[in-house]
Amino acid sequence: MGSLFSKQVERRKNIKAEKKTLCDLNENCGETYPGSDYRPADRKNWMAGLGVDKVHINKIVWPGTHDSATNKIGIPFITRPFAQCQSLSVYQQLVKGTRVLDIRVNENRRVCHGILTTYGIDVVIGDIKKFLSETQSEVIILEIRTEFGHQDPPEFEKYLEEQLGEYLIHQDEHVFGKTIAELLPKRIICVWKPNKSPRPQSGSPFWNAGHLKDNWIDTDLPSTKFDSNLKHLSEQAPASSRKFFYRVENTVTPQPDNPIVCVKPVTNRIHGYARLFIAQCFTKGCADRLQIFSTDFIDEDFVDACVGLTQARVEGAC
């Protein structure tokens, strides 16, 4: 018992020290970078606002959400706090400016996060289609994967194509160098990551796991995650030359051996440092590698941080 108590005391010290490290870095280095003062007039249509004939797919800094469809997961006040990573519906996230969705499903086509489940994938598809019907030029990256420990839902590709076929941008590496205008009216890059089913091939309506990569770091320590994100990003090629999307997640994860296991208070340790991260990308010389930037509990400022850097790239300011 004594060793367990000592371990918890040490962990609390580490967390406190790492929170102070990021706070001090923010105070000393600031959050200014090319485009940091830009605010889109209409977040729902921010891509259109930048000019679809000027915005190339590989110049976009895509605001994304982690575990996007968990707003109603589990039982309120009982299991939900342990798995909820977003408080908004998928539709509300898209209206706010989110353009990358992370959806996990089980064999019954229900959205899940680990062992906890929520509504069916039909709800997500309905939200996406509603948003697309209300806009004309916004492009979405929709990542759908079979959650770990679950089987692939039967005939899932057929289902997705029936539901979204008119919007799907087919797997083609030339897409990365194209403008949004060149892709319209197609508006969804759907990355399907099954556990056992065959990977989508070139020319398919779906993109495979090799086209959306990241380096997931499972930690609740904010400075450790921040530094690791910078390290892994710096090892990538510039976004302009890659033939895949690379994601950085501005999140930290509750750990089972820590007393605080609810998502929100843990991820809040890093949540407010998105602009600092982008500024540090410039300081470290890897800002040209940043592409998908995702978060828990997305808000307007996170979206604006990504859109601002996109605007600077489009206008040639960086």
Side-chain angles (χ1 to χ4, degrees):
M1 181 66 71
S3 62
L4 178 62
F5 177 77
S6 298
K7 181 180 179 181
Q8 293 303 323
V9 169
E10 187 64 26
R11 283 184 62 81
R12 300 312 300 166
K13 287 181 180 179
N14 291 340
I15 291 169
K16 183 177 180 180
E18 293 216 2
K19 289 167 69 175
K20 185 177 186 302
T21 296
L22 287 184
C23 183
D24 290 348
L25 183 65
N26 197 44
E27 289 182 2
N28 295 331
C29 299
E31 303 176 336
T32 302
Y33 54 86
S36 60
D37 58 348
Y38 180 83
R39 301 292 183 275
D42 178 7
R43 293 185 185 90
K44 186 175 181 179
N45 292 282
W46 68 260
M47 289 181 167
L50 295 179
V52 295
D53 58 335
K54 298 192 301 180
V55 181
H56 289 77
I57 294 301
N58 58 15
K59 287 188 177 181
I60 299 170
V61 180
W62 302 75
T65 49
H66 167 241
D67 266 305
S68 305
T70 54
N71 58 308
K72 293 185 177 181
I73 200 162
I75 303 171
F77 307 110
I78 299 176
T79 58
R80 185 168 297 171
F82 304 116
Q84 184 185 45
C85 298
Q86 307 297 329
S87 56
L88 302 175
S89 70
V90 165
Y91 172 75
Q92 290 169 330
Q93 291 172 42
L94 292 169
V95 169
K96 196 178 287 287
T98 300
R99 293 296 177 266
V100 181
L101 299 172
D102 161 24
I103 309 295
R104 294 103 183 273
V105 296
N106 65 16
E107 48 279 322
N108 299 316
R109 295 186 186 171
R110 299 192 72 81
V111 176
C112 58
H113 186 182
I115 62 172
L116 296 179
T117 61
T118 180
Y119 40 72
I121 191 65
D122 289 353
V123 175
V124 175
I125 299 299
D127 277 4
I128 291 171
K129 291 168 82 169
K130 179 181 179 183
F131 173 76
L132 293 177
S133 73
E134 295 173 355
T135 58
Q136 295 182 337
S137 307
E138 305 305 298
V139 175
I140 299 167
I141 298 175
L142 171 61
E143 178 196 33
I144 307 182
R145 58 175 143 164
T146 304
E147 180 66 302
F148 298 113
H150 291 277
Q151 299 298 313
D152 299 325
E155 298 186 321
F156 197 57
E157 285 191 24
K158 179 181 177 182
Y159 164 79
L160 290 175
E161 191 166 6
E162 288 174 350
Q163 295 295 317
L164 299 172
E166 64 181 299
Y167 300 110
L168 295 176
I169 299 168
H170 286 219
Q171 186 185 148
D172 176 1
E173 293 185 346
H174 292 97
V175 164
F176 293 97
K178 292 185 177 182
T179 64
I180 291 175
E182 291 175 299
L183 298 177
L184 296 175
K186 306 295 186 179
R187 297 168 60 191
I188 300 176
I189 297 172
C190 185
V191 181
W192 166 227
K193 298 181 176 181
N195 278 343
K196 294 183 179 179
S197 301
R199 288 165 43 119
Q201 299 299 310
S202 179
S204 164
F206 307 102
W207 299 62
N208 60 50
H211 290 107
L212 202 171
K213 302 179 183 181
D214 55 34
N215 291 98
W216 174 251
I217 305 101
D218 186 16
T219 181
D220 62 355
L221 298 172
S223 183
T224 295
K225 182 65 174 285
F226 189 98
D227 291 343
S228 184
N229 280 343
L230 279 172
K231 174 183 178 294
H232 287 298
L233 182 64
S234 69
E235 295 167 351
Q236 306 303 312
S240 60
S241 64
R242 288 199 303 261
K243 300 303 180 183
F244 61 88
F245 296 100
Y246 184 78
R247 173 172 51 204
V248 173
E249 293 196 323
N250 190 57
T251 63
V252 286
T253 310
Q255 299 299 303
D257 62 347
N258 193 281
I260 302 177
V261 291
C262 296
V263 173
K264 195 159 193 177
V266 173
T267 202
N268 276 348
R269 296 169 187 166
I270 198 171
H271 186 269
Y273 295 110
R275 289 181 177 273
L276 174 64
F277 183 82
I278 297 175
Q280 284 297 297
C281 286
F282 279 93
T283 299
K284 303 295 185 183
C286 59
D288 61 342
R289 294 152 170 77
L290 188 60
Q291 192 170 37
I292 295 177
F293 198 26
S294 293
T295 189
D296 292 324
F297 302 102
I298 197 164
D299 54 29
E300 291 90 345
D301 189 66
F302 186 90
V303 170
D304 292 354
C306 297
V307 177
L309 180 51
T310 302
Q311 188 265 350
R313 286 179 176 178
V314 169
E315 299 300 326
C318 62

